[in-house]
Amino acid sequence: MVSETFDETLESQPGWHPPHLRLARPTAVYNLAEALSGRGLSDASAGTLARSAVRPDDMRRKLAEAAELRVQGGTLLIVETRLWAASVVPHPANPREYGRRRYRLGGDSTGFTETPEPTSPPGARAELEIRVSEPTALAQRLEDTKQRLLTENPLTQDLAVEGVLQPLTVVAVTVHHANGHPTASMLITADGSSRISAAHSILGYSPSKVVYEWGADERRQRKEVNRWIRHSQKQGWDHLVEDERERLRVLNVPARVIVGFVPDGHVGQRFHTAVRNFIGLTHIRPPRPYGAAVENNAKADAVLDSLAEPNRSGDAHITLAEKSWFAATMTATEAGTEGLSDHRDVRAASIVNSLLGGGTATARRVNDGIRSLTAKQRPKRDERVEIAVELILRAVPADHGSDDGKFLRSRRGVLQRAYRLPEIVELPAGSLLEEGNQYDRSLDLLRDLALKEVESGQGNDGRLGIAQTELAVKAAYYMVLAEPMALQREVYGGSDEEDVRGPVAVLRAMLSSRRGVHQACEVVRSGRQGLRLDEVDDSGAPTVMGGGEHRLLTDALVRHTYTGEPLDEQTTGYAGAATCWSSVKGAVETLQKKVRDMASVPRQGGDGLQVAREGWNSGEILRLRSELDRVDRTIADWADRWDELEHLRDEAGGHSR
């Protein structure tokens, strides 16, 4: 069997190389602290914030033009800068934990951890304050928060490669202790607690050390930061080991620092309420997610950019013309001018080959594109498959979109499953076996190569050959997009009579036999001509039914043909219903043909057409229409039930039929 776990063998990517840094001069820190105090911050908060700035002189200049961020209850004034990770901690009362908090009034104080809720002093000062019993209470709270965030929202691997990309929203906090311990000043994240927790995990920092050791002693904080700066300068980036590079990537983080607050005079809310409103907008009622299809399309464009550009490991993977062809941003005429095929299955196979074939070398190039948009350290193969399928579906004719996307929704998942065929990974990078301008002639050559692979036992040994795989990819495109579908998803929890194999297993069984190779070839040929897909026999000739008509190819038919089970034995479950549906479709097509035949009957004298000129008995038509209406309502009920279950499955994240 072809290995499906090659993702785990991919080497770590080069990752981000941060610029060389140095500690700011004490004078610059002092000047920034003075400027922050002038904006209304307390001396302690101003000093903590100034010491945390990587470039205090730059932050001081930005104070004059602080950006405005309006929230319910007022306007936050923010400055974008970079802060040392050794000066920022997660929000000690992170709302992500609300569902698991224990409260004193509940009676059982077992496992109770003090959760300080921030407030703010009267007026418009842009800082928070919290009250705790003693330093150990806050230290435990911060450590619990960090560990829970690392478990529930793990970002460590991604940050280790690319650092923190999106800025944290940081606010100053003064900590008051009931036991008389001196007040402490710290910087917390109103947004970004998961990111700073991951950064601390990489650096080996505990939040309590940040607050109570480095926060209380500027020299210790500067010493911690400076040891990494000096080590980097002494060794040089190329001579650092990977875990040292990871630490340097998160040594400082981008931040939006809240430096001012303008309350809404008509509301009278205080600063801590405005911050809580900001958190609500960010996490409790955030913008509606784009959805998987939109996200995969955005990643697809980033991947095409990566494939079309040369990198450190070699030349561009695809040409600019292929990039436009894959992106569906050129017309069919323009594609022909560039020597590219107008057959959609050839485009689909080229996308699959370019994004999924070629082994680890291709996977690295595709992952570079995904990482540029998501910062994921090791995107998985399934994600690459989903991106390839979105590119393929861009060329599906627009008239299939008239059903509000139902046509594509029902087929997207099946194509994704089909193109997880493990043999695709081992397709050689470069051109397809079927190439050149005369695709229909070379299709026969591809078929003959696949037949030779069948004769050598490939497929039955658990591994399809290259020609079998390419033919499977092309046939799957038309089989999935056919109406009705000739390849569908697996049945989960099916009975003993139902075929529960996934599309990959069905394709492999099909392409492992001579008849299946002939069938796949005829599927591709019919699909290119816009014809319906019909079953073929062992010689590749269409199967003729009792009435002389060809047998329509359906998912049930494919599954039974390539398992050895006689079709007529399957009379129950999905397989039995699918067989009947094939007959229903055939009956409708026969009806349409008979109506066309009747409409073309000429008048006896040869002057015009009979029913067009004289019509037909309205009573008979009314009775027939009534029968057709009952059929229409029946199958409409089936469709409604299917859509209802599909909606429930989408909400549950399931994939069963």
Side-chain angles (χ1 to χ4, degrees):
M1 181 65 67
V2 177
S3 172
E4 300 185 48
T5 60
F6 85 102
D7 284 83
E8 304 305 324
T9 68
L10 290 179
E11 297 175 2
S12 296
Q13 302 296 324
W16 177 50
H17 182 176
H20 293 298
L21 298 170
R22 62 179 182 180
L23 277 176
R25 296 179 180 275
T27 302
V29 174
Y30 174 80
N31 290 338
L32 175 58
E34 287 287 297
L36 290 168
S37 295
R39 294 192 67 91
L41 291 179
S42 66
D43 290 344
S45 293
T48 299
L49 188 50
R51 290 193 299 272
S52 72
V54 175
R55 295 184 57 193
D57 52 349
D58 180 66
M59 183 176 176
R60 183 164 60 90
R61 285 191 294 269
K62 290 179 178 178
L63 283 175
E65 298 181 356
E68 296 184 356
L69 180 62
R70 184 179 175 275
V71 296
Q72 185 179 6
T75 301
L76 304 175
L77 303 179
I78 62 173
V79 168
E80 292 207 1
T81 188
R82 297 192 73 89
L83 304 178
W84 298 114
S87 61
V88 184
V89 296
H91 197 310
N94 195 305
R96 191 183 293 272
E97 301 177 337
Y98 269 124
R100 290 174 300 274
R101 287 186 187 176
R102 295 180 181 273
Y103 295 91
R104 293 187 183 277
L105 193 58
D108 182 8
S109 61
T110 304
F112 176 81
T113 302
E114 186 174 351
T115 304
E117 291 291 345
T119 59
S120 54
R125 181 182 293 177
E127 61 183 86
L128 301 173
E129 56 183 17
I130 58 175
R131 301 182 182 278
V132 297
S133 58
E134 56 185 357
T136 55
L138 179 60
Q140 185 61 52
R141 175 92 285 273
L142 290 172
E143 188 61 32
D144 290 347
T145 297
K146 172 189 170 184
Q147 294 303 322
R148 191 175 295 280
L149 289 169
L150 290 174
T151 300
E152 296 188 356
N153 194 19
L155 299 174
T156 306
Q157 285 191 343
D158 296 339
L159 267 60
V161 175
E162 292 293 340
V164 178
L165 297 177
Q166 293 299 313
L168 320 175
T169 302
V170 174
V171 59
V173 180
T174 298
V175 184
H176 301 278
H177 304 93
N179 68 347
H181 189 279
T183 59
S185 181
M186 65 181 184
L187 304 178
I188 68 168
T189 54
D191 174 46
S193 291
S194 296
R195 280 165 279 165
I196 195 61
S197 295
H200 284 179
S201 178
I202 294 169
L203 290 162
Y205 293 171
S206 67
S208 60
K209 177 175 285 189
V210 172
V211 175
Y212 288 111
E213 291 188 28
W214 297 336
D217 190 333
E218 179 182 358
R219 289 175 299 178
R220 288 189 179 184
Q221 184 198 54
R222 288 176 66 89
K223 182 179 179 181
E224 167 60 24
V225 172
N226 203 35
R227 75 184 181 97
W228 285 109
I229 294 176
R230 288 183 176 277
H231 182 68
S232 173
Q233 293 171 342
K234 180 180 178 181
Q235 298 293 325
W237 184 261
D238 293 337
H239 295 91
L240 295 172
V241 297
E242 185 56 29
D243 65 338
E244 293 173 334
R245 293 179 180 180
E246 292 173 356
R247 288 183 174 90
L248 287 167
R249 290 179 184 128
V250 295
L251 189 62
N252 66 82
V253 295
R256 298 189 302 177
V257 183
I258 301 177
V259 296
F261 173 56
V262 180
D264 186 338
H266 298 288
V267 179
Q269 288 185 351
R270 288 161 59 179
F271 177 65
H272 69 276
T273 305
V275 172
R276 187 170 61 225
N277 292 343
F278 168 79
I279 295 173
L281 287 173
T282 305
H283 293 288
I284 300 174
R285 294 205 62 183
R288 183 177 179 179
Y290 288 137
V294 176
E295 293 173 4
N296 285 330
N297 269 294
K299 287 184 281 190
D301 287 329
V303 165
L304 293 182
D305 286 340
S306 175
L307 294 176
E309 295 289 337
N311 65 8
R312 286 173 289 185
S313 62
D315 297 332
H317 195 65
I318 60 175
T319 67
L320 292 178
E322 287 174 324
K323 174 185 175 183
S324 182
W325 187 41
F326 292 170
T329 55
M330 63 165 53
T331 65
T333 301
E334 292 169 340
T337 302
E338 295 288 346
L340 302 170
S341 174
D342 60 351
H343 295 315
R344 291 194 175 92
D345 67 285
V346 176
R347 175 180 173 273
S350 297
I351 290 173
V352 167
N353 191 37
S354 297
L355 272 68
L356 307 177
T360 57
T362 297
R364 291 192 185 100
R365 293 294 293 262
V366 175
N367 284 355
D368 283 344
I370 298 173
R371 189 176 299 106
S372 70
L373 202 61
T374 66
K376 284 187 176 180
Q377 183 184 20
R378 290 186 178 181
K380 298 299 182 182
R381 182 175 176 237
D382 284 358
E383 188 167 4
R384 296 192 290 273
V385 172
E386 291 167 2
I387 290 170
V389 168
E390 288 307 321
L391 288 173
I392 290 168
L393 292 178
R394 289 185 183 185
V396 173
D399 56 6
H400 287 313
S402 59
D403 58 355
D404 297 325
K406 292 180 182 178
F407 180 89
L408 290 184
R409 277 201 303 271
S410 62
R411 286 156 173 80
R412 176 180 286 109
V414 184
L415 272 180
Q416 290 172 355
R417 285 167 171 75
Y419 290 155
R420 288 173 188 161
L421 183 69
E423 289 90 328
I424 289 174
V425 174
E426 298 187 353
L427 287 174
S431 301
L432 302 172
L433 291 176
E434 184 196 11
E435 58 184 358
N437 293 323
Q438 296 180 343
Y439 283 97
D440 289 328
R441 182 180 65 81
S442 58
L443 178 60
D444 292 337
L445 299 179
L446 179 63
R447 176 201 61 202
D448 293 342
L449 289 172
L451 288 172
K452 289 181 180 179
E453 291 173 342
V454 171
E455 292 171 0
S456 68
Q458 290 184 269
N460 288 323
D461 65 353
R463 181 193 302 267
L464 294 177
I466 294 174
Q468 291 167 300
T469 302
E470 182 175 321
L471 194 52
V473 169
K474 291 176 176 178
Y477 173 80
Y478 292 117
M479 292 171 72
V480 173
L481 291 177
E483 184 62 69
M485 296 167 69
L487 181 66
Q488 297 192 33
R489 65 179 63 179
E490 59 270 39
V491 178
Y492 284 95
S495 65
D496 292 340
E497 294 85 12
E498 293 177 311
D499 185 347
V500 297
R501 293 176 300 163
V504 164
V506 174
L507 283 172
R508 186 179 288 125
M510 178 178 171
L511 272 297
S512 297
S513 69
R514 290 185 60 85
R515 181 177 181 178
V517 168
H518 282 299
Q519 181 68 76
C521 181
E522 290 309 308
V523 163
V524 173
R525 200 185 309 279
S526 297
R528 291 176 181 179
Q529 297 175 18
L531 304 176
R532 81 171 201 172
L533 309 184
D534 290 329
E535 184 192 38
V536 300
D537 59 21
D538 290 341
S539 65
T543 302
V544 180
M545 299 176 68
E549 68 274 14
H550 294 170
R551 174 179 277 175
L552 178 68
L553 190 69
T554 64
D555 176 69
L557 192 59
V558 170
R559 289 174 178 273
H560 295 306
T561 301
Y562 301 104
T563 58
E565 290 185 69
L567 183 63
D568 56 4
E569 289 184 4
Q570 296 299 315
T571 58
T572 61
Y574 181 82
T579 302
C580 293
W581 178 253
S582 177
S583 299
V584 170
K585 289 281 294 182
V588 171
E589 291 176 359
T590 300
L591 174 62
Q592 291 172 327
K593 181 179 182 302
K594 296 301 182 183
V595 170
R596 289 193 297 269
D597 291 344
M598 184 172 176
S600 63
V601 173
R603 296 184 70 200
Q604 190 168 2
D607 181 18
L609 301 176
Q610 176 66 32
V611 293
R613 291 289 297 271
E614 300 184 17
W616 199 251
N617 185 286
S618 60
E620 291 186 19
I621 288 179
L622 182 62
R623 285 190 290 275
L624 180 59
R625 289 184 63 189
S626 178
E627 293 295 329
L628 293 175
D629 184 57
R630 277 194 286 272
V631 172
D632 179 65
R633 289 198 301 270
T634 299
I635 62 177
D637 289 341
W638 298 347
D640 291 341
R641 180 55 178 163
W642 175 277
D643 291 342
E644 178 185 346
L645 293 177
E646 281 288 288
H647 178 70
L648 293 174
R649 281 190 287 269
D650 288 342
E651 286 187 341
H655 303 289
S656 60
R657 179 182 292 142

